[in-house]
């Protein structure tokens, strides 16, 4: 065909996959989305005020001054064939009702853990286990510190041996990208077992 572009001809749109970044209050979800996103992330942060005293548990995170009240949104292109849309969930219990809507269409999740307060992310693990949504655990080492091994974290969280637990730094783009790649590898393996396909299905 005259005038056709041989580079464009035959190409197709990449698969888009919706991923949730979840976890307890103050574990680094907003930081992770912002670190890895190739676009300016959408954030719905509001300052913490005296109205939250006695409601928001700041034990172990005295430096936190703002919180997500709806969601965070970012995007990362892993390859020409695969783009991830990242949705960070709110961490406070009073906003958990939004998780059901955010989970619609999600193929998988990253559950972030703060080793100073691992119990803050128990509810997130339960949420995805009950809904059968695959997830990996990212152990966010605040200030670059990782005092526990992945095996110790897995035992503390009572996770099965096949559960992926990865040490990461939510401030570091490459570290966050490695966690997301581990999740995609898990999704591809699961998809291949279920339907013989080697790629996640388009769900967004």
């Amino acid at each position: 065909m005259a005038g056709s572009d041989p580079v464009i001809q035959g190409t197709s749109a990449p698969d888009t996959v919706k991923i949730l970044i979840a976890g307890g209050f103050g574990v680094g979800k907003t930081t992770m989305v912002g670190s890895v996103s190739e676009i300016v992330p959408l954030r719905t942060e509001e300052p913490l005020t005296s109205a939250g005293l006695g409601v928001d548990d700041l034990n172990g995170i005295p430096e936190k001054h703002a919180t997500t009240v709806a969601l965070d949104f970012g995007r990362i292109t892993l390859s020409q064939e695969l783009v991830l849309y990242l949705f960070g969930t709110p961490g406070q219990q009073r906003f958990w009702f939004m998780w059901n809507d955010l989970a619609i269409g999600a193929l998988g999740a990253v559950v972030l853990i703060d080793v100073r307060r691992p119990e803050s992310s128990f509810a997130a693990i339960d949420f995805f286990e009950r809904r059968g949504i695959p997830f990996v655990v990212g152990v966010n080492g605040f200030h670059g510190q990782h005092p526990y091994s992945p095996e110790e974290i897995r035992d503390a969280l009572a996770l099965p041996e096949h559960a992926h637990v990865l040490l990461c730094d939510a401030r570091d783009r490459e570290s966050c990208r490695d966690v997301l790649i581990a999740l995609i590898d898990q999704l591809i393996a699961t998809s291949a077992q279920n339907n013989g396909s080697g790629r996640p299905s388009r769900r967004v």
Side-chain angles (χ1 to χ4, degrees), residues 161-173:
E161 289 189 5
H162 66 267
H164 292 275
V165 179
L166 304 103
L167 304 181
C168 67
D169 186 336
R171 304 167 299 176
D172 183 76
R173 175 180 172 83

Side-chain angles (χ1 to χ4, degrees), residues 5 30 81 137 192:
D5 189 332
T30 298
E81 294 80 25
V137 172

Side-chain angles (χ1 to χ4, degrees), residues 107 187-201 203:
L107 281 190
L187 296 178
I188 290 173
T190 301
S191 177
Q193 291 175 356
N194 292 340
N195 55 37
S197 172
R199 298 169 67 186
S201 303
R203 290 282 298 277

Side-chain angles (χ1 to χ4, degrees), residues 106-122:
L107 281 190
V110 173
V111 177
L112 278 184
I113 299 292
D114 178 355
V115 293
R116 301 171 300 179
R117 302 174 302 116
E119 70 283 352
S120 67
S121 292
F122 287 167

Side-chain angles (χ1 to χ4, degrees), residues 3-16:
S4 63
D5 189 332
V7 176
I8 298 176
Q9 193 174 40
T11 61
S12 59
D15 280 341
T16 54

Side-chain angles (χ1 to χ4, degrees), residues 61-99:
I61 48 172
E63 72 281 2
K64 187 169 180 60
H65 302 293
T67 185
T68 299
V69 296
L71 59 89
D72 301 307
F73 174 77
R75 184 189 71 200
I76 178 173
T77 300
L78 291 185
S79 69
Q80 291 183 341
E81 294 80 25
L82 186 61
V83 175
L84 306 186
Y85 290 146
L86 309 176
F87 291 77
T89 64
Q92 296 123 303
Q93 186 171 355
R94 63 182 183 276
F95 297 130
W96 285 356
F97 69 91
M98 299 181 62
W99 286 34

